[in-house]
Amino acid sequence: MDQKLGWLGRQVAVAVAYGLVYELLRSMSFAHFVPVSGFKLSVLLLTPRRYWPALLISEMSVLAYTLESCIASFGWAFYLFSIVPPIALLMVIVAACRARLPGLTLPHFRLSSLLICTLISSLALLADSLISASLILDPIGVGRKPLPVLAADYLLGIYTGILAVTPLVLTAALEWHKRRSLTAIWINNKALLQATAFALIAMSVEVFAFSYSDNATLRFAGQAILLVPAAYFLMRWDWKGAAAVGALSSFGIVALMPAKFDLATLMTQTMMALSLTAFIVLGQQTAKLKQADKAKDNHLKKARLEQHLSELRLQRSSFELSFVNVELARAHRHLLIQLGHTHNRGEVETQKHHLTKTTRRLTELANSLAPPMGSGHPHAFTEGPVSELLGKLGIDYQVNLHGQLSLLSKSTLALLYRLSCEAVAYLLKEHPTDRIVLSTQTVIEDNVMTIALTVQSAGQIISSPARNRIMQELGTYDLGLEELRIRAQLFNGDVAIDGKQVHVSLQQEFITELD
């Protein structure tokens, strides 16, 4: 299409399209609401600079034609200044802002840069409008307001006009840049577009109903009601919702302005400016929070998967060690048979002792990596390395398993077992006693199972066992409280210390995808 039009054809097409939309929005603009300003800024933010001359010529042509009738009333000075396109000022501002501020190009828009550019553009257009108004030949005769009053009207009108149009246009441009198809845009934003259409109908009915009232208070109430859908869309669809319904609310509020009452109009403008700014900022922050939550969920899923894979690697290593142990014992027995034919009984006994010691060490190492039935088996708490180590140390070990542990996923049981090993290691180091009690409890509520594990030192104080021995036989890493808490938080849990007790809590619902 671009190749068929050629350079001149594209320039003419841009100029004509801009001129038509510009004149339409200009006819809807007045001192208290200037949506054409938002259209200008949006076009400059989205259009390549090679088309800016076409925009400049188009706007100047429209102004020169439409303002010709004002020469008789306002004078030639007003006319000649007014036909100079205000978009020229915005071109300078957008170019300067882009040179100094990041986030003013498609698709990498940044809210803070857009708000700064909007404010500067509003001030520039305000200055242009005031200079134009000051050149009116007979201001009293035509009923022109004092310039300070016009300044308040123009500033709020330009600012609200930009906020009503620019976010919506940029949101549409971002969607098109991302999807490149109207069908894809509809599929990915079907709920938002349907809700927007319904909101448009509802707002139109409300504006039509309230527009027949001459009571300024009643109209204010109608304007306040128009902000309710914008707040809902903000929370439901963040930036997109704020842009879509913010524009609809703006035009509805303007339609209900008590235009004959200047103070009420000024108050309405102020309310619009504050509301639109708040909606846009909150919409952007809501989008960031949702993105942060999504990123957090993704990180948690990856961390849980890493924990699950780590557990599988430990089980694999335990299996391989057990296999090596069997093969080593077989080779050693073969050696003992060969030695049995000799008369050196001392060497035979030495080899037997070495075999027994090596076999026991390999078994302990394998069991520390994963209990005989696997760390995901409920019996791991009663027959695993914890029970074996405490038995060797002469420490009474009491296990109270309450709740439906059989319903837990393997990943949950594995993590719960690892945390119990760390808890026992912590108590043997910080509060060693001759009796340790481990208890569990599960609670199911709203399809979420909460698992509570408590390990406590409940006997007489004894000397602390060697730390290296604990770490080797339990397969622990001497983790601190914060490290344990971080591990538990992977499964929406927590770890807390209460005197001689370690409390662990986990939740089942976040880990079913790993089974």
Side-chain angles (χ1 to χ4, degrees):
M1 182 68 180
D2 289 346
Q3 295 178 351
K4 292 181 179 180
L5 288 175
W7 179 86
L8 181 60
R10 293 195 298 271
Q11 295 287 337
V12 172
V14 169
V16 171
Y18 176 77
L20 292 174
V21 180
Y22 174 82
E23 181 57 25
L24 174 64
L25 290 177
R26 183 174 172 274
S27 64
M28 301 169 59
S29 302
F30 59 105
H32 305 309
F33 185 60
V34 192
V36 70
S37 300
F39 173 67
K40 295 179 192 178
L41 182 59
S42 303
V43 169
L44 292 179
L45 290 172
L46 298 174
T47 305
R49 290 192 183 184
R50 62 181 179 272
Y51 294 113
W52 284 12
L55 303 177
L56 196 67
I57 295 173
S58 177
E59 184 169 322
M60 186 172 184
S61 301
V62 172
L63 291 174
Y65 177 77
T66 57
L67 293 178
E68 184 179 2
S69 59
C70 299
I71 297 176
S73 301
F74 296 162
W76 277 98
F78 169 84
Y79 176 75
L80 293 176
F81 182 83
S82 298
I83 64 174
V84 176
I87 197 173
L89 286 174
L90 296 185
M91 291 178 179
V92 176
I93 292 171
V94 170
C97 288
R98 278 179 172 169
R100 292 167 175 78
L101 297 174
L104 286 176
T105 55
L106 184 72
H108 308 293
F109 289 119
R110 183 178 295 181
L111 180 61
S112 57
S113 300
L114 287 172
L115 288 177
I116 292 173
C117 185
T118 295
L119 183 58
I120 297 174
S121 300
S122 300
L123 294 175
L125 294 177
L126 168 65
D128 180 78
S129 299
L130 291 178
I131 294 174
S132 179
S134 67
L135 295 176
I136 292 178
L137 188 62
D138 184 16
I140 299 177
V142 298
R144 192 206 71 189
K145 295 180 181 180
L147 291 180
V149 177
L150 284 178
D153 291 344
Y154 286 160
L155 178 60
L156 290 172
I158 294 170
Y159 183 70
T160 54
I162 293 178
L163 292 184
V165 174
T166 301
L168 179 60
V169 174
L170 297 186
T171 300
L174 287 170
E175 282 298 303
W176 176 260
H177 178 82
K178 185 177 181 180
R179 312 295 178 188
R180 294 293 181 179
S181 167
L182 292 178
T183 303
I185 291 175
W186 167 257
I187 293 174
N188 288 275
N189 299 277
K190 184 177 181 180
L192 172 59
L193 294 174
Q194 289 177 338
T196 302
F198 179 79
L200 174 61
I201 296 172
M203 288 181 179
S204 301
V205 172
E206 184 201 338
V207 170
F208 179 77
F210 279 91
S211 61
Y212 283 97
S213 174
D214 293 330
N215 189 309
T217 303
L218 189 59
R219 288 196 172 208
F220 272 127
Q223 291 170 334
I225 293 174
L226 289 173
L227 295 176
V228 175
Y232 170 74
F233 275 68
L234 161 68
M235 300 306 298
R236 180 67 177 81
W237 289 285
D238 50 74
W239 165 266
K240 295 180 182 179
V245 181
L248 297 180
S249 299
S250 301
F251 282 92
I253 289 171
V254 170
L256 292 177
M257 277 185 178
K260 296 180 180 180
F261 186 29
D262 291 339
L263 179 60
T265 300
L266 187 61
M267 291 172 62
T268 302
Q269 286 179 274
T270 305
M271 179 184 68
M272 283 181 59
L274 292 175
S275 301
L276 290 174
T277 304
F279 285 148
I280 292 172
V281 173
L282 289 176
Q284 181 68 9
Q285 294 304 315
T286 302
K288 288 183 178 179
L289 289 175
K290 289 182 178 180
Q291 292 174 357
D293 286 340
K294 185 177 181 180
K296 177 183 176 182
D297 291 340
N298 290 336
H299 288 315
L300 282 175
K301 288 180 180 178
K302 292 178 182 178
R304 291 167 191 152
L305 181 59
E306 285 294 330
Q307 192 273 339
H308 184 63
L309 294 177
S310 176
E311 186 66 29
L312 292 178
R313 285 194 292 267
L314 288 175
Q315 293 179 8
R316 177 65 180 177
S317 299
S318 175
F319 171 78
E320 291 176 351
L321 280 173
S322 299
F323 179 78
V324 170
N325 190 18
V326 172
E327 292 298 317
L328 179 62
R330 182 182 302 167
H332 216 141
R333 281 194 298 271
H334 180 72
L335 177 61
L336 290 176
I337 292 174
Q338 298 298 323
L339 290 174
H341 298 292
T342 68
H343 299 287
N344 190 351
R345 305 307 301 174
E347 184 177 355
V348 173
E349 293 300 323
T350 301
Q351 291 296 331
K352 283 184 178 180
H353 176 72
H354 180 67
L355 172 62
T356 302
K357 184 178 179 181
T358 303
T359 302
R360 183 187 304 114
R361 182 70 191 97
L362 285 174
T363 302
E364 291 175 352
L365 182 58
N367 289 345
S368 67
L369 293 176
M373 291 157 289
S375 60
H377 197 287
H379 291 178
F381 295 103
T382 56
E383 302 177 24
V386 173
S387 176
E388 293 182 4
L389 173 64
L390 296 181
K392 294 176 185 178
L393 295 174
I395 298 175
D396 182 31
Y397 179 50
Q398 179 181 344
V399 182
N400 302 315
L401 300 179
H402 301 290
Q404 299 170 294
L405 293 182
S406 61
L407 297 180
L408 300 180
S409 68
K410 293 180 181 180
S411 297
T412 307
L413 282 172
L415 179 64
L416 198 63
Y417 169 75
R418 295 297 175 192
L419 289 174
S420 69
C421 290
E422 295 287 354
V424 170
Y426 171 83
L427 292 177
L428 290 178
K429 181 177 67 173
E430 300 294 337
H431 305 286
T433 64
D434 60 0
R435 182 167 176 262
I436 287 182
V437 179
L438 182 149
S439 59
T440 65
Q441 184 65 47
T442 60
V443 177
I444 300 177
E445 185 177 354
D446 296 332
N447 295 323
V448 177
M449 178 180 287
T450 301
I451 310 101
L453 168 71
T454 301
V455 184
Q456 65 179 26
S457 292
Q460 300 296 322
I461 298 176
I462 62 174
S463 59
S464 179
R467 187 176 65 175
N468 289 339
R469 181 180 182 184
I470 297 173
M471 293 174 62
Q472 290 174 1
E473 298 201 23
L474 294 185
T476 60
Y477 304 97
D478 197 22
L479 300 179
L481 176 60
E482 285 304 315
E483 288 79 6
L484 294 180
R485 181 175 289 119
I486 291 173
R487 179 180 288 188
Q489 286 174 348
L490 293 178
F491 295 83
N492 199 35
D494 195 14
V495 175
I497 305 295
D498 182 13
K500 297 181 180 181
Q501 295 184 351
V502 179
H503 300 282
V504 178
S505 65
L506 301 175
Q507 286 191 350
Q508 172 71 46
E509 66 167 344
F510 293 95
I511 52 179
T512 55
E513 70 271 15
L514 296 180
D515 298 331

